[in-house]
Amino acid sequence: MINELYRLTEAIDGAGVHTQQWHRRYIPIPGIKPKAPCVRISILKGKVVELSRVLEDLGTVLRKFGDNQGSYPCMNLTPLYRITDESIKMALKTLKPGDIDPAKIEEIESWCQGNFNNWGEKFQKKYKVCMDRSTELCKLVPEFTPVQMLMEESEYFRDSIKLHREIETTAFKMLRRHEHIHLALQILFYQGNPAKKPEDDCGSLSVALESPRLIALGVPAASERFVLALNDALMKTEKAWEEDTVLEEVDAFGVSFAPTEKSTPMPTVKLAGGFDVTLRTMFSGQPCQTRYRRIEDASYPISLKMRGKLHASLDWLGGNKERENITWMNIDKGEILFAYPSRIPEQAISYTRMFGRSKKSDVTFEEQTKQFLAELRHGREANADARSDRIQLFILKKIDKARVKVVYTRQTDAHELEKCSEAWMFGCSNLSIFLFGTPKAPFPLDATDIFNVFWKQNGERATDRCRPVSQYHGLELLMNPDFPVTADLHMLSEKAMTVGAFLGSLLVNKDFRHSIWERIVKMLALMGLMLYRKGIRKEDYMEDFPYQYGQLLKVSDELHAMYCRIVRNGELPPQLAGSSLYQAAAEAPLRTMNVLAQRMNPYIAWAKTYRTNTDSPKGTGAGLVKWFLRMYEEIAGKLYEVWTPNVRFNDEERAQLFIGYLAALPKREEIDGKNAEGLNPIEEVQRL
């Protein structure tokens, strides 16, 4: 990721874009959620004067000085009391604001017993570290008055017992006034696991210290103004340290730095996509590091100056919600796609739009791609080097709680994107005609939703848990026309075998409103693409044995359905002649052909008789029966011409069988929307 971000720093510098650089020890607070609030503790002269909830938007701005072991003025405490009794837990769970009365408050007070105190020995050590951080911060920025004032107020609470008592008193005042009852209970109680040790199961409570004095000064501690001012003061201190330090070494990018900088941790960026990422995490516990006898930061030295620029670049790229669907987009839980140019234009455009569909947009891939490429070319300067318009793509994936990994990276340009998108759209159109809709090229990042869906034979979803294909696999297929597709085609053909018969029954009943068609249309587009990548074109495979076999199964269904509509008063069986043999045909085509011929004999004999029935009243479908019978005979004749001795279909042939089974039957000569027999087949079936 460092190499990708280094190119971004060059682009940002070249465009003169201002980026906010943060002090390496001034880090974001944890994300605020309903079940994990951040509590603003307003303190004045040894008293907690107010407890309130920090808004989620403000939480994205606030920062804390220190690390996970201790920080200031935002810090992680714990709720005051740990409850393990199941009856009390149930009482807390069912407690409603209307239940709060003097008797209930007295009962709640009884739960605040000394043996339930959650601020034990382990907490005391961490709290001491937090207070030490406040002293350290004041020494670093002695001229920053707001921090000094806040430090004066927090000194009253260097003893955590006093803070515990004050918070509890204020929380019960909130209950008595019926103000923020849920927040007060979250501050008071943590529902612990009785099977765990108290020191290992004490919960967490994010807090931000505040002072009325700072509010009166116009610089509240819980505000963006305070955060930016404190960061400026810290950066000045950092710069003064660099000027007074002898720079003896050169980092990986040619920037001079001091040897002591190696031991400092890499900065962490809080991404708007939902997780935090450290620029680089390497430690001596990884055996691969000892191979070159350079461990930790020494294996890839980066100066503090370059770390700051890389940190600011990633924060500009993905740390702001406003840049969503411009330079970044979530593609899955814990996965973010980043896209940025080598030369940043004056007017921002979306660099992610052609890879995934925006939630607020219903445009097609083709429309989105045309607009994106037009904007790219419009922004190109005359006589500029083509390399200056390159676009960097990379995907970050959260592996576990502590690790984030770059799982995909590629550099491209407008010319390559145009060629790849044209090949993608042309491949997805490598199909026949379907009555239920024309398959269009899906967005690459939507393709995985087709690979990872599994159906039962009745068309219902089998499971949502199995996801064998990565979410960015469609991006790999788009950007690499030579990417192997054998495994992908196998997955699609297996899905076709499972759900083919069910789709055949929907087609016979002209049920095109079923929700499954939305995915089937995309699945067909991907099948066309896979066949195209295999060198199999629709002009050729539509004349081959597997496709014609699928057409024969389809017209067999239609003839059987016509028989049921006319002879059996419209009582169709669950499976018709063709659909009942679809899966068998995919596995053993020749043997199934004989079975199909035997099953169709009575319906064909009936059709030959019925088509010449001149006494049948108008609208009973004699002409339509004649048309389907002719189709059956013509397709059977084509099968004879392309007959193959193969006893099994491979994946390519199964895909062609599926396409042929769902495709519309060949068109005949039409006059004013009617064929030579004076019938419109679709209208005639619907009338029957």
Side-chain angles (χ1 to χ4, degrees):
M1 179 173 62
I2 289 179
N3 290 332
E4 288 81 3
L5 291 179
Y6 178 70
R7 298 189 186 100
L8 178 59
T9 61
E10 293 181 322
I12 289 175
D13 291 342
V17 177
H18 172 73
T19 57
Q20 178 65 53
Q21 293 195 25
W22 297 98
H23 188 271
R24 53 193 170 88
R25 298 185 63 190
Y26 200 31
I27 59 178
I29 67 171
I32 298 177
K33 301 176 182 178
K35 293 184 178 181
C38 179
V39 181
R40 183 190 287 105
I41 303 179
S42 186
I43 53 178
L44 180 65
K45 296 181 179 180
K47 297 290 182 180
V48 173
V49 296
E50 185 183 18
L51 296 173
S52 59
R53 188 188 300 270
V54 175
L55 298 179
E56 186 174 346
D57 291 343
L58 181 57
T60 61
V61 174
L62 296 184
R63 289 179 170 257
K64 56 185 181 180
F65 176 81
D67 49 39
N68 292 333
Q69 283 67 47
S71 59
Y72 186 88
C74 297
M75 61 185 72
N76 286 334
L77 304 180
T78 66
L80 305 186
Y81 296 96
R82 178 175 179 267
I83 302 298
T84 57
D85 186 281
E86 293 300 327
S87 62
I88 300 178
K89 287 183 180 180
M90 182 56 65
L92 285 170
K93 184 177 181 180
T94 58
L95 185 62
K96 298 178 181 178
D99 298 335
I100 302 296
D101 55 22
K104 179 58 70 174
I105 291 177
E106 186 176 348
E107 182 183 2
I108 295 174
E109 288 178 333
S110 68
W111 300 338
C112 301
Q113 302 176 14
N115 56 332
F116 292 165
N117 194 325
N118 201 26
W119 287 20
E121 183 178 351
K122 184 177 180 179
F123 171 85
Q124 299 293 341
K125 293 179 180 178
K126 186 171 184 178
Y127 183 76
K128 182 179 182 302
V129 174
C130 292
M131 298 310 294
D132 290 342
R133 291 285 186 269
S134 66
T135 304
E136 183 181 1
L137 178 60
C138 286
K139 291 180 179 179
L140 281 175
V141 288
E143 297 180 359
F144 188 63
T145 305
V147 163
Q148 306 298 330
M149 294 172 62
L150 188 61
M151 176 63 181
E152 292 176 5
E153 299 296 345
S154 60
E155 273 295 310
Y156 288 99
F157 299 104
R158 189 164 286 273
D159 183 358
S160 65
I161 296 177
K162 186 172 183 179
L163 180 61
H164 186 285
R165 184 170 58 248
E166 282 295 320
I167 292 178
E168 181 179 350
T169 300
T170 306
F172 274 99
K173 287 181 180 178
M174 294 165 63
L175 292 177
R176 293 187 178 93
R177 292 195 299 260
H178 288 77
E179 295 177 353
H180 308 296
I181 293 175
H182 182 64
L183 179 63
L185 294 175
Q186 284 181 303
I187 295 170
L188 286 171
F189 301 110
Y190 169 71
Q191 300 183 33
N193 187 344
K196 296 182 179 180
K197 296 180 180 179
E199 60 269 20
D200 298 329
D201 180 45
C202 55
S204 179
L205 184 66
S206 177
V207 304
L209 297 182
E210 182 60 275
S211 171
R213 293 171 61 193
L214 294 182
I215 296 175
L217 188 64
V219 191
S223 68
E224 184 176 10
R225 182 178 180 182
F226 178 93
V227 170
L228 293 175
L230 176 55
N231 183 69
D232 289 343
L234 289 169
M235 293 300 292
K236 289 180 182 178
T237 303
E238 188 81 27
K239 186 176 181 180
W241 176 86
E242 291 178 355
E243 293 175 351
D244 296 338
T245 304
V246 179
L247 307 179
E248 300 177 353
E249 298 188 19
V250 177
D251 71 1
F253 298 99
V255 179
S256 300
F257 72 105
T260 55
E261 298 178 30
K262 292 181 181 178
S263 58
T264 57
M266 286 284 188
T268 298
V269 178
K270 187 175 184 179
L271 299 177
F275 56 87
D276 299 345
V277 57
T278 303
L279 293 182
R280 186 170 182 263
T281 54
M282 298 292 283
F283 57 95
S284 56
Q286 294 177 337
C288 66
Q289 291 228 353
T290 60
R291 180 180 301 173
Y292 304 107
R293 297 183 180 181
R294 288 178 176 269
I295 63 174
E296 299 180 344
D297 292 334
S299 64
Y300 199 84
I302 304 178
S303 64
L304 291 180
K305 181 179 179 180
M306 183 54 65
R307 293 183 192 193
K309 294 182 67 175
L310 295 174
H311 175 272
S313 298
L314 183 57
D315 187 57
W316 175 86
L317 183 68
N320 193 330
K321 191 71 175 178
E322 294 179 356
R323 300 194 68 81
E324 184 177 11
N325 297 321
I326 296 178
T327 57
W328 69 270
M329 68 182 302
N330 279 107
I331 62 175
D332 199 3
K333 184 178 180 180
E335 289 188 30
I336 304 176
L337 166 68
F338 296 94
Y340 59 88
S342 60
R343 181 169 49 82
I344 299 174
E346 294 182 2
Q347 187 173 1
I349 65 174
S350 171
Y351 294 94
T352 62
R353 68 173 56 176
M354 70 170 287
F355 306 116
R357 185 190 307 274
S358 172
K359 296 179 181 179
K360 301 179 180 179
S361 175
D362 57 355
V363 298
T364 64
F365 172 77
E366 182 177 4
E367 294 170 340
Q368 197 75 281
T369 301
K370 286 182 179 179
Q371 183 179 358
F372 175 54
L373 293 175
E375 290 178 351
L376 280 182
R377 292 191 173 90
H378 180 72
R380 179 178 293 177
E381 296 177 359
N383 302 322
D385 182 3
R387 296 183 60 179
S388 66
D389 287 335
R390 290 187 177 180
I391 298 173
Q392 180 69 45
L393 309 173
F394 71 96
I395 295 175
L396 287 180
K397 181 175 182 178
K398 189 173 180 62
I399 305 300
D400 53 34
K401 187 176 181 180
R403 296 182 299 164
V404 175
K405 182 180 180 181
V406 177
V407 294
Y408 179 83
T409 181
R410 186 180 182 92
Q411 192 177 72
T412 184
D413 55 30
H415 178 72
E416 184 182 32
L417 287 174
E418 183 177 28
K419 294 298 181 184
C420 290
S421 60
E422 287 178 351
W424 178 270
M425 290 183 289
F426 196 77
C428 290
S429 64
N430 186 35
L431 295 166
S432 183
I433 298 174
F434 305 92
L435 296 178
F436 48 82
T438 303
K440 296 181 180 179
F443 283 84
L445 294 176
D446 293 343
T448 303
D449 294 335
I450 304 303
F451 290 117
N452 288 336
V453 67
F454 294 89
W455 288 292
K456 300 177 182 178
Q457 291 186 351
N458 61 359
E460 296 179 357
R461 290 285 294 270
T463 179
D464 293 326
R465 296 182 179 180
C466 183
R467 299 181 63 83
V469 177
S470 63
Q471 191 64 34
Y472 55 88
H473 181 58
L475 189 59
E476 295 176 317
L477 292 173
L478 171 72
M479 298 305 301
N480 186 1
D482 297 326
F483 196 92
V485 296
T486 302
D488 296 334
L489 189 57
H490 176 73
M491 292 181 64
L492 294 178
S493 65
E494 289 293 317
K495 298 178 193 300
M497 284 186 62
T498 302
V499 79
F502 173 74
L503 297 175
S505 64
L506 293 181
L507 284 175
V508 168
N509 291 290
K510 303 300 179 286
D511 182 2
F512 302 143
R513 296 183 179 181
H514 197 285
S515 60
I516 196 173
W517 289 117
E518 182 179 354
R519 290 183 181 273
I520 293 299
V521 168
K522 294 180 181 179
M523 178 176 164
L524 286 167
L526 291 177
M527 273 188 170
L529 177 66
M530 302 298 116
L531 294 175
Y532 183 81
R533 296 279 175 94
K534 288 280 188 177
I536 304 173
R537 304 295 188 263
K538 64 179 180 180
E539 296 81 5
D540 299 324
Y541 75 69
M542 288 176 63
E543 301 297 328
D544 290 343
F545 180 74
Y547 181 89
Q548 293 298 327
Y549 200 162
Q551 290 274 276
L552 185 67
L553 293 174
K554 179 183 181 66
V555 77
S556 298
D557 280 345
E558 296 289 359
L559 271 174
H560 188 183
M562 287 299 298
Y563 172 83
C564 294
R565 290 188 180 103
I566 296 172
V567 178
R568 296 181 178 176
N569 298 321
E571 295 183 3
L572 271 67
Q575 286 190 330
L576 299 169
S579 62
S580 63
L581 294 174
Y582 177 83
Q583 196 168 52
E587 295 177 346
L590 300 187
R591 184 173 58 192
T592 306
M593 181 73 75
N594 296 327
V595 178
L596 178 64
Q598 294 174 7
R599 291 192 181 182
M600 287 301 297
N601 276 336
Y603 308 124
I604 293 174
W606 165 81
K608 288 181 178 179
T609 303
Y610 190 78
R611 68 178 177 177
T612 59
N613 186 0
T614 57
D615 296 332
S616 60
K618 185 178 180 181
T620 54
L624 189 57
V625 170
K626 182 179 180 180
W627 186 75
F628 282 134
L629 180 60
R630 183 177 297 179
M631 287 292 96
Y632 186 93
E633 292 172 345
E634 288 185 2
I635 294 171
K638 288 184 179 181
L639 280 175
Y640 179 78
E641 295 176 0
V642 295
W643 186 264
T644 174
N646 294 341
V647 294
R648 295 184 67 87
F649 283 152
N650 57 29
D651 291 328
E652 291 89 342
E653 292 166 333
R654 287 180 179 179
Q656 296 168 45
L657 175 75
F658 182 69
I659 295 172
Y661 184 53
L662 299 186
L665 293 172
K667 289 185 177 181
R668 300 188 61 81
E669 295 182 3
E670 296 183 349
I671 303 175
D672 296 331
K674 297 183 178 181
N675 58 31
E677 287 76 19
L679 300 167
N680 184 315
I682 300 302
E683 293 179 355
E684 185 70 12
V685 170
Q686 292 173 343
R687 185 163 59 246
L688 291 173

